[in-house]
């Protein structure tokens, strides 16, 4: 139980007042339900493979239909990670985990049609991920030559670049991709348990097998000589594979309630660095998410053998609060969470997601977070999250939404091949590799609206120029949107929680 200081009510009130000092820009009502619907729709624009008759973004068409033929495997389906036409399994698996976690935590608060759409989005990825691990002791980790792809600007429907398949076979390591794939399949098994128990069982059974590969052959997939040049510098494992082992085990524990995974988390936390880099969460670093996920058992089931994970989760939350002595998250002048490196909104969406999940865990166990002389309540964490959501949706110095298709002002020139080139319906002739340069260099708005796409967004100065060339700011990614689905589901059901 967290110690509560006598003056906690006064300090919490002061903290709420302090948080309210971040600038408000064009404060207005936000249609979180509309944003939720659009955030899920975005994934239909990222689809690879045969598109179904009910495809809603009709400017897209079939693509990547021969993926896997060079290795005698069916690797069609899945998602393109961003504005290019490559299927990178490491961030795709993380995207899937976050979509599934969104449903696990907030699915009961989604309108039924959007819950269905979210499950469809998850299954589009899990069906593909199941194909990538269908062969014993072999895992396919990527489809598409990224160098050749990035040297072209063409629609996925016209791809004529090499669809190189990158695979890792035992005893070579792929603990990061396999561990994240195991997490994705386990989390998705929970999402599908009520609606499709047979599919859920397949996902969980496969997750167990894939995790065994990850744990048996330890190491980073990008350390394999036959993989490195294809995945680096795009989605190298920069932060080590150990966090994915703990992350995969944590999700298998959550999905199966199997004590062997509880023991794994207890016995391997220190050796696999559970206490390292605890303030990061994204496609490459799972530490903050791991600690929040595992803390559920401490907070709600009194599994005090996992207390170190809860302590790390608490420490992470304290970094978000300006009055805390451990506060060190940077904010832009307009109030956006900022971290260096580009695609900044990935940090805003993942941190907002973790804040809301942890707030729920704390509330259900009637606890708070002790940050020295400051105590953080669930309502404070929700207010932090809502500030970020509202910034993304338009309460920012530019007065524009960073979600395409939401509100009357949003990015028109996103860094996205399919969106920026006329569709096959409007321009049936093929647009080959360099033919698309005229569209890339055009100052015109993109002809196809990728509804729901959240772009990389502004940096530390709140500046956004709506420039297709500036991919760090104008390119959307699946792993920016995936956690945002859960965040928007929460606020669609509780719009006034953070006010």
């Amino acid at each position: 139980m967290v110690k509560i200081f006598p003056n906690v009510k006064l300090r919490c009130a002061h903290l709420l007042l302090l948080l309210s000092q971040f600038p408000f820009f064009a404060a207005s009502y936000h249609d979180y339900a509309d944003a939720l619907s659009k955030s899920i729709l975005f994934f239909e624009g990222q689809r690879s493979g045969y598109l179904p008759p009910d495809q809603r973004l009709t400017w897209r068409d079939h693509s990547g239909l021969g993926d896997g033929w060079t290795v005698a495997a069916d690797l069609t389906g899945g998602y393109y990670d961003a504005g290019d036409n490559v299927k990178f399994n490491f961030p795709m698996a993380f995207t899937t985990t976050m979509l599934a976690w969104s449903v696990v935590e907030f699915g009961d608060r989604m309108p039924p049609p959007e819950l269905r759409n979210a499950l469809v989005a998850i299954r589009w990825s899990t069906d593909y991920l199941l194909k990538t691990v269908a062969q014993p002791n072999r895992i396919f980790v990527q489809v598409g030559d990224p160098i050749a792809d990035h040297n072209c600007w063409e629609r996925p429907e016209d791809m004529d670049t090499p669809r190189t398949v990158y695979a890792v076979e035992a005893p070579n390591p792929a603990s990061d991709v396999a561990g994240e794939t195991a997490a994705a399949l386990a989390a998705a098994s929970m999402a599908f348990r009520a609606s499709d128990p047979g599919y859920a069982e397949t996902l969980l059974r496969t997750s167990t097998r894939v995790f065994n590969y990850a744990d048996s052959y330890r190491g980073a997939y990008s350390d394999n000589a036959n993989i490195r040049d294809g995945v680096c510098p795009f989605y190298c494992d920069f932060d080590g594979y150990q966090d994915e082992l703990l992350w995969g085990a944590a999700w298998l524990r959550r999905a199966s309630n199997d004590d062997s995974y509880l023991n794994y988390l207890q016995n391997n936390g220190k050796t696999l660095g559970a206490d390292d880099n605890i303030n990061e969460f994204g496609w490459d670093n799972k530490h903050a998410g791991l600690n929040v996920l595992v803390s559920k058992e401490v907070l709600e089931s009194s599994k005090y053998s996992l207390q170190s994970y809860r302590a790390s989760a608490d420490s992470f939350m304290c970094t978000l609060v300006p009055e805390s002595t451990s506060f060190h998250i940077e904010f832009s002048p307009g109030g956006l969470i900022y971290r260096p490196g580009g695609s900044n909104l990935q940090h805003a969406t993942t941190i907002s997601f973790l804040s809301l999940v942890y707030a729920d865990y704390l509330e259900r166990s009637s606890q708070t977070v002790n940050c020295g002389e400051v105590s953080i309540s669930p309502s404070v964490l929700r207010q932090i999250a809502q500030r970020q959501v509202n910034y993304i949706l338009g309460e920012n110095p530019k007065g524009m939404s960073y979600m395409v298709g939401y509100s009357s002002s949003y990015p028109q020139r996103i860094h996205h091949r399919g969106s920026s080139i006329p569709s096959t319906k409007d321009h049936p002739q093929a647009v080959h590799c360099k033919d698309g340069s005229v569209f890339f260099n055009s100052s015109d708005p993109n002809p196809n609206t990728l509804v729901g796409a959240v772009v990389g967004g502004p940096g530390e100065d709140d500046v956004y120029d709506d420039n297709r060339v500036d991919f760090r700011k104008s390119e959307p990614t699946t792993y920016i949107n995936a956690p945002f689905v859960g965040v928007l589901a929460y606020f669609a059901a509780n719009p006034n929680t953070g006010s």
Side-chain angles (χ1 to χ4, degrees):
M1 181 65 67
V2 176
K3 179 181 178 182
I4 306 297
F5 289 85
N7 57 350
V8 63
K9 289 185 178 179
L10 178 61
R11 290 192 175 276
C12 278
H14 176 60
L15 183 54
L16 287 167
L17 179 63
L18 188 151
L19 286 171
S20 71
Q21 301 310 303
F22 282 121
F24 246 42
F25 298 92
S28 61
Y29 165 79
H30 290 294
D31 190 342
Y32 297 118
D34 181 54
L36 168 64
S37 177
K38 289 180 163 97
S39 72
I40 300 170
L41 178 59
F42 157 76
F43 288 93
E44 295 192 19
Q46 299 302 112
R47 285 173 168 173
S48 180
Y50 291 92
L51 302 190
D54 61 355
Q55 168 79 13
R56 293 178 291 169
L57 291 181
T58 55
W59 52 267
R60 280 297 323 281
D61 208 339
H62 313 310
S63 64
L65 302 184
D67 284 357
W69 73 270
T70 57
V71 293
D74 175 10
L75 296 176
T76 57
Y79 291 118
Y80 304 119
D81 72 300
D84 53 28
N85 303 322
V86 182
K87 296 191 296 199
F88 295 98
N89 290 16
F90 195 15
M92 194 194 310
F94 176 70
T95 293
T96 310
T97 306
M98 295 309 298
L99 279 172
W101 199 2
S102 293
V103 168
V104 169
E105 300 293 350
F106 305 117
D108 60 348
R109 304 175 215 194
M110 294 181 181
E114 296 312 327
L115 174 57
R116 175 195 170 277
N117 289 333
L119 290 172
V120 169
I122 295 167
R123 186 157 187 161
W124 194 270
S125 189
T126 51
D127 281 353
Y128 168 78
L129 292 175
L130 287 172
K131 296 176 183 180
T132 68
V133 295
Q135 299 180 16
N137 293 319
R138 190 184 198 192
I139 178 169
F140 297 107
V141 299
Q142 183 173 310
V143 179
D145 180 335
I147 303 297
D149 179 90
H150 289 184
N151 282 332
C152 295
W153 194 261
E154 58 186 351
R155 303 174 297 205
E157 293 82 5
D158 292 330
M159 278 187 294
D160 52 10
T161 52
R163 300 301 287 169
T164 308
V165 175
Y166 299 84
V168 178
E169 297 186 42
N172 297 305
S175 297
D176 31 30
V177 180
E180 186 61 67
T181 301
L185 298 178
S189 77
M190 297 184 68
F192 282 102
R193 192 165 289 162
S195 61
D196 194 339
Y199 188 62
E201 176 56 34
T202 296
L203 294 171
L204 185 57
R205 184 174 62 252
T206 307
S207 173
T208 302
R209 176 171 58 81
V210 176
F211 179 77
N212 288 340
Y213 183 104
D215 195 37
S216 298
Y217 308 109
R218 293 188 178 186
Y221 85 124
S222 49
D223 286 345
N224 292 294
N226 65 318
I227 299 294
R228 186 180 303 112
D229 290 344
V231 303
C232 298
F234 311 102
Y235 292 103
C236 275
D237 186 341
F238 297 102
D239 288 323
Y241 63 87
Q242 294 88 344
D243 52 329
E244 278 82 26
L245 289 175
L246 293 169
W247 180 239
W251 272 110
L252 277 162
R253 166 63 181 173
R254 177 86 179 263
S256 68
N257 207 33
D258 187 328
D259 283 345
S260 67
Y261 298 109
L262 173 64
N263 294 334
Y264 188 98
L265 292 167
Q266 292 171 167
N267 298 335
N268 291 281
K270 291 292 185 184
T271 57
L272 293 177
D275 296 334
D276 299 341
N277 301 314
I278 61 171
N279 300 325
E280 299 288 335
F281 188 52
W283 62 264
D284 187 30
N285 189 321
K286 310 307 181 322
H287 284 95
L290 163 72
N291 292 322
V292 167
L293 178 65
V294 176
S295 292
K296 178 179 171 66
E297 287 213 64
V298 183
L299 291 165
E300 298 182 12
S301 302
S302 301
K303 286 283 189 303
Y304 294 116
S305 60
L306 301 172
Q307 177 62 31
S308 62
Y309 292 90
R310 191 264 165 101
S312 293
D314 281 359
S315 295
F316 172 68
M317 297 302 158
C318 292
T319 68
L320 306 177
V321 179
E323 200 181 57
S324 167
T325 55
S326 55
F327 169 69
H328 70 254
I329 294 290
E330 292 184 62
F331 288 87
S332 72
L336 176 67
I337 288 173
Y338 167 73
R339 287 188 173 171
S343 294
N344 187 55
L345 291 186
Q346 67 181 302
H347 305 301
T349 61
T350 54
I351 289 173
S352 296
F353 181 90
L354 293 183
S355 298
L356 292 175
V357 170
Y358 207 55
D360 273 5
Y361 296 168
L362 290 168
E363 188 168 79
R364 288 198 290 265
S365 57
S366 301
Q367 298 195 49
T368 58
V369 177
N370 176 16
C371 301
E373 293 188 350
V374 179
S375 180
I376 304 176
S377 68
S379 64
V380 169
L381 293 177
R382 289 169 179 146
Q383 186 178 28
I384 291 169
Q386 192 166 26
R387 285 273 192 259
Q388 298 306 301
V389 174
N390 291 351
Y391 184 106
I392 293 170
L393 296 182
E395 286 184 27
N396 56 63
K398 295 285 288 185
M400 71 184 302
S401 162
Y402 291 111
M403 173 183 282
V404 174
Y406 179 86
S407 87
S408 59
S409 177
Y410 55 83
Q412 303 286 328
R413 299 164 187 83
I414 67 173
H415 184 97
H416 190 277
R417 286 158 176 78
S419 172
S420 67
I421 302 173
S423 73
T424 57
K425 296 175 178 61
D426 295 332
H427 190 288
Q429 299 81 13
V431 178
H432 295 298
C433 179
K434 296 300 182 182
D435 296 344
S437 298
V438 64
F439 301 106
F440 175 74
N441 292 317
S442 171
S443 60
D444 293 338
N446 288 7
N448 308 309
T449 304
L450 184 56
V451 176
V454 179
V455 296
E460 72 274 26
D461 55 4
D462 297 304
V463 171
Y464 186 85
D465 295 324
D466 198 11
N467 183 350
R468 191 178 297 114
V469 176
D470 189 357
F471 66 90
R472 289 178 177 83
K473 292 185 176 181
S474 64
E475 187 170 20
T477 71
T478 58
Y479 47 86
I480 295 176
N481 265 66
F484 208 41
V485 169
V487 171
L488 290 168
Y490 177 84
F491 285 115
N494 306 277
N496 299 316
T497 300
S499 60

